[in-house]
Amino acid sequence: MSVQIFYDIAVFRIPAKALDTPEDVYGLCFLSGDSRTYTHSGQRERRWTCPIVGFYDDVIAHQLTWVNYQVYWKTNGASGATRDFQWLAKIRKSLDTATEVGSLSVDFVGMQVGDLSVEPHRRCKGMTIREAISNSMALRSDPKTAGDSDWDALRILGPGSN
């Protein structure tokens, strides 16, 4: 059986005034890999992803859907499974200590957040960060696509990926 293993969490926060939104916007990023996916050199493959960009409550609601699945934190196997309340505590702590992004950063096609590089990806390619985030939030508020993730909106590159 294959499981998703999480190695790191990073969150960026864009102040509401920078995006002209009613609340701050958060980007939840994970360094993760599948237990059965390896690189050509035999290392377990790891990559950064951003499954959700939205208001604080949007991110928590998105993660509540994840607690229906087992989450493995840095280990593989039942002993490494993180309990629901532990996972949500990690997410809340990460949101509460998010790295703030300057308002000028959102008007470019890429931004640096600590050690992470963030840029529009696939369905948002060619957009600015502001446009990509607005696009994702609009799609998620549409009843036809409500609850969708933002996997294809932002590409995240950073340490630990291979």
Side-chain angles (χ1 to χ4, degrees), residues 43-84:
Q43 290 181 302
R44 183 168 282 136
E45 188 173 328
R46 297 177 182 184
R47 85 178 64 149
W48 282 97
T49 57
C50 184
I52 181 78
V53 176
F55 302 128
Y56 190 98
D57 290 346
D58 295 334
V59 175
I60 293 295
H62 183 269
Q63 289 302 293
L64 283 171
T65 65
W66 283 31
V67 297
N68 294 323
Y69 306 98
Q70 283 195 316
V71 175
Y72 294 89
W73 183 252
K74 298 184 182 183
T75 59
N76 182 9
S79 63
T82 303
R83 301 193 51 196
D84 300 354

Side-chain angles (χ1 to χ4, degrees), residues 89-120:
K90 281 183 183 299
I91 299 304
R92 282 194 183 108
K93 181 179 180 185
S94 297
L95 288 168
D96 293 342
T97 59
T99 302
E100 184 174 327
V101 173
S103 58
L104 294 177
S105 298
V106 298
D107 291 320
F108 294 100
V109 294
M111 66 181 182
Q112 195 70 27
V113 180
D115 291 338
L116 300 181
S117 296
V118 180
E119 60 187 44

Side-chain angles (χ1 to χ4, degrees), residues 7-161:
Y7 300 97
D8 202 358
I9 300 173
V11 179
F12 60 86
R13 179 178 62 82
I14 303 172
K17 65 182 178 181
L19 292 173
D20 196 28
T21 56
E23 300 174 44
D24 292 350
V25 173
Y26 295 83
L28 179 62
C29 306
F30 294 115
L31 176 63
S32 64
D34 186 279
S35 65
R36 289 189 175 178
T37 307
Y38 292 87
T39 63
H40 292 291
S41 62
Q43 290 181 302
R44 183 168 282 136
E45 188 173 328
R46 297 177 182 184
R47 85 178 64 149
W48 282 97
T49 57
C50 184
I52 181 78
V53 176
F55 302 128
Y56 190 98
D57 290 346
D58 295 334
V59 175
I60 293 295
H62 183 269
Q63 289 302 293
L64 283 171
T65 65
W66 283 31
V67 297
N68 294 323
Y69 306 98
Q70 283 195 316
V71 175
Y72 294 89
W73 183 252
K74 298 184 182 183
T75 59
N76 182 9
S79 63
T82 303
R83 301 193 51 196
D84 300 354
F85 70 91
Q86 293 170 316
W87 182 252
L88 292 174
K90 281 183 183 299
I91 299 304
R92 282 194 183 108
K93 181 179 180 185
S94 297
L95 288 168
D96 293 342
T97 59
T99 302
E100 184 174 327
V101 173
S103 58
L104 294 177
S105 298
V106 298
D107 291 320
F108 294 100
V109 294
M111 66 181 182
Q112 195 70 27
V113 180
D115 291 338
L116 300 181
S117 296
V118 180
E119 60 187 44
H121 187 55
R122 291 189 184 145
R123 69 176 162 85
C124 295
K125 201 157 188 83
M127 296 180 183
T128 64
I129 297 293
R130 176 189 307 277
E131 292 166 336
I133 290 171
S134 295
N135 175 281
S136 290
M137 292 177 71
L139 280 175
R140 212 174 23 269
S141 68
D142 182 342
K144 296 175 194 160
T145 53
D148 282 1
S149 290
D150 292 320
W151 298 105
D152 288 347
L154 297 174
R155 181 180 189 167
I156 313 297
L157 300 171
S161 58

